[in-house]
Amino acid sequence: MIFDIAHETLPREELEALQLRRLKDLCNRVYANVPFYRRRFDELGITPSDIRSLKDVKLLPFTEKQDLRNNFPYGLFAVPPQNIVRLHASSGTTGKATVIGYTRRDLDNWADLMARCLSMAGANASDFVHVAFGYGLFTGGLGAHYGAERLGATTIPVSGGATKRQVQLMRDFGATVLCCTPSYALFLYDAGLEAGIDIGKLPLRIGVFGAEPWTEEMRADIERKMRIDALNIYGLSEVMGPGVAMECVEAKQGMHIQEDHFLAEIIDPVTGEQLPPGATGELVLTTLTKEGAPLLRYRTRDITSLETTPCRCGRTFVRVNRFSGRSDDMLIIRGVNVFPTQIETILLEAGMSPHYQIILTREGTLDNVEVQVELTESMFSDAVKDLQQREARIQKTIKEFLGVTARVRLVEPRSIQRFEGKAQRVLDRRQM
Ligand code: ADP
Ligand code: ZN
């Protein structure tokens, strides 16, 4: 079912006309109400009336995370405080937190967009949605929560933590949809087995997983273990929260960007030039409808490409391909760029468990990389010689495919730290 068929299947021309109307309105609003943007427009020598077509978005200034930090807390809000009804903040994964304010209409739109996402995943009003994203300033929990309610599903606000109890709740309440990070889904699965509950045998049928990068190999692993459709959801607090883009269960190939609310571009992260469809670069998003804290051309730092071919689900929104990671997460190992997700692919293809961590250390002036990955239970009893061969094989594959020398260390099952929210895949000990 398509939750909002009128919008989600808009013919391209009508969609673009709507985007342009909303973009013009947005420019007027920020020019009139946000001194930061008025200054930027003035510096660039433009006014809102210069936006005549969607292509003119190129004329507009970028907004960076640093701009939000410089204007902390409320400097970029476009409405008076009495119109803001909720605040959220980014978890500050990469530095000082940023604050976002929502008007009543913003929250209403968010719930609609999140309901669309759940419906894209194949959920409907009869589902029981177990929300294990953290509730609080982080947008994951409440974002998924109001979307599930808007869909009419039975919403179970569990938040993160008390992992074993969560699995019991999933069993007792009959959860059919699980929302959390993909790494937490695996944590729940393992905790379930330890408590004698096999999630693969519960009624659960859909996973809506996001907030961190993951790979196709990880999807295959989760789907096989939990016997569900595992779908990718994308969002970021600065732009709204979860629900900016979502994969459809029909194709499972890239996430539809909710283009009637967000205008997407891919740019070269170095030059800032817009790249043609299909090219890989940094995703830039403009919030077309947000009232509280609207953003022009927000640089997400997330690296991906756009897929413009028609989707078999019938939705007309373009799709973003799976993210390799955010540019901040990119490791530069002796001059070679590597994303943790590339290492994840190799580990899972080698049959290893999906629990791994990359540890960076420095010896003199040289960076050393160690990849620690847990053995699966069945490998654990293998002879030492076999394990050493396995390490050597993975090490060789990493060298061959990624061009970097990393030491691979196989560790005992359950010895790598688990996370309730975003997994920390890289431990940087170079400064310590
Ligand atoms: P913070 O910026 O503090 O981590 P957010 O929750 O706003 O808090 O994080 C948003 C970021 O999470 C995105 O910019 C992106 O890097 C990452 N992210 C969210 N969903 C996905 C996803 N499905 N795949 C890859 N990365 C994702
Ligand atoms: Zn689709």
Side-chain angles (χ1 to χ4, degrees), residues 118 121-128 175-178 199 202-207 226-231 249:
L118 290 163
N124 58 55
S126 324
D127 274 299
F128 289 77
T176 54
V177 180
L178 170 64
I199 292 186
L202 298 183
L204 192 74
R205 59 187 197 95
I206 296 170
M226 300 175 78
R227 298 205 185 88
I228 58 171
D229 284 310
L231 300 157
V249 67

Side-chain angles (χ1 to χ4, degrees), residues 340-404:
T341 47
Q342 294 176 296
I343 292 178
E344 180 177 299
T345 298
I346 290 174
L347 295 176
L348 288 174
E349 275 178 351
M352 300 308 299
S353 87
H355 305 290
Y356 67 97
Q357 203 156 38
I358 301 162
I359 295 152
L360 305 177
T361 51
R362 181 164 290 162
E363 237 172 82
T365 55
L366 286 182
D367 288 344
N368 283 322
V369 186
E370 179 170 288
V371 178
Q372 292 187 357
V373 58
E374 285 181 12
L375 293 160
T376 61
E377 293 289 347
S378 64
M379 287 173 190
F380 191 47
S381 51
D382 288 359
V384 174
K385 185 169 81 4
D386 294 336
L387 295 182
Q388 283 169 344
Q389 278 176 359
R390 201 178 266 281
E391 279 179 349
R393 261 203 316 276
I394 300 173
Q395 222 158 278
K396 190 157 163 268
T397 313
I398 292 179
K399 178 77 195 172
E400 267 173 23
F401 284 90
L402 307 180
V404 299

Side-chain angles (χ1 to χ4, degrees), residues 48-329:
S49 60
D50 288 316
I51 303 302
R52 295 191 192 90
S53 77
L54 280 181
K55 288 204 184 77
D56 293 331
V57 70
K58 285 199 294 248
L59 305 174
L60 296 172
F62 287 118
T63 311
E64 303 205 34
K65 205 175 182 100
Q66 194 55 42
D67 296 319
L68 278 88
R69 291 185 178 136
N70 294 345
N71 292 281
F72 182 87
Y74 305 141
L76 294 187
F77 287 13
V79 298
Q82 66 265 28
N83 295 356
I84 297 285
V85 296
R86 196 195 300 163
L87 294 179
H88 276 288
S90 83
S91 50
T93 316
T94 57
K96 188 174 159 191
T98 51
V99 181
I100 296 297
Y102 301 77
T103 65
R104 197 165 292 287
R105 175 161 326 142
D106 290 337
L107 292 180
D108 204 39
N109 283 335
W110 189 9
D112 273 338
L113 293 180
M114 210 35 234
R116 287 185 191 177
C117 289
L118 290 163
S119 160
M120 266 189 239
N124 58 55
S126 324
D127 274 299
F128 289 77
V129 180
H130 180 108
V131 182
F133 278 123
Y135 279 63
L137 283 175
F138 174 59
T139 49
L142 288 168
H145 180 98
Y146 286 105
E149 286 191 356
R150 180 67 49 96
L151 184 67
T154 308
T155 309
I156 313 164
V158 191
S159 193
T163 305
K164 238 178 219 159
R165 185 166 161 268
Q166 292 224 13
V167 191
Q168 289 162 353
L169 281 176
M170 287 174 71
R171 179 198 56 198
D172 297 347
F173 291 176
T176 54
V177 180
L178 170 64
C179 302
C180 61
T181 59
S183 55
Y184 193 57
L186 283 167
F187 187 4
L188 282 167
Y189 175 77
D190 289 343
L193 290 185
E194 272 171 43
I197 302 170
D198 180 354
I199 292 186
K201 299 210 170 97
L202 298 183
L204 192 74
R205 59 187 197 95
I206 296 170
V208 174
F209 302 139
E212 66 184 9
W214 52 312
T215 56
E216 279 305 320
E217 291 73 19
M218 182 76 94
R219 186 209 318 257
D221 189 58
I222 295 176
E223 290 194 330
R224 183 178 48 78
K225 286 176 173 159
M226 300 175 78
R227 298 205 185 88
I228 58 171
D229 284 310
L231 300 157
N232 199 3
I233 185 164
Y234 172 75
L236 61 170
S237 51
E238 291 83 356
V239 170
M240 179 175 81
V244 173
M246 175 76 205
E247 222 168 29
C248 62
V249 67
E250 291 89 345
K252 287 191 188 170
Q253 233 165 50
M255 298 177 276
H256 290 283
I257 298 188
Q258 312 240 34
E259 286 189 282
D260 50 341
H261 293 266
F262 307 103
L263 184 66
E265 305 168 69
I266 298 287
I267 64 159
D268 178 323
V270 180
T271 64
E273 290 297 314
Q274 232 183 46
L275 296 176
T280 298
E282 178 180 342
L283 178 66
V284 169
L285 293 168
T286 296
T287 65
L288 295 173
T289 51
K290 264 190 21 170
E291 298 176 334
L295 295 176
L296 295 182
R297 305 189 84 197
Y298 183 67
R299 294 191 55 164
T300 65
R301 305 192 203 181
D302 294 321
I303 306 297
T304 182
S305 55
L306 293 182
E307 182 61 61
T308 51
T309 53
C311 186
R312 78 171 75 115
C313 72
R315 291 180 183 82
T316 49
F317 297 161
V318 299
R319 287 164 286 161
V320 270
N321 288 313
R322 204 172 265 284
F323 293 92
S324 32
R326 41 172 123 189
S327 51
D328 319 89
D329 292 341

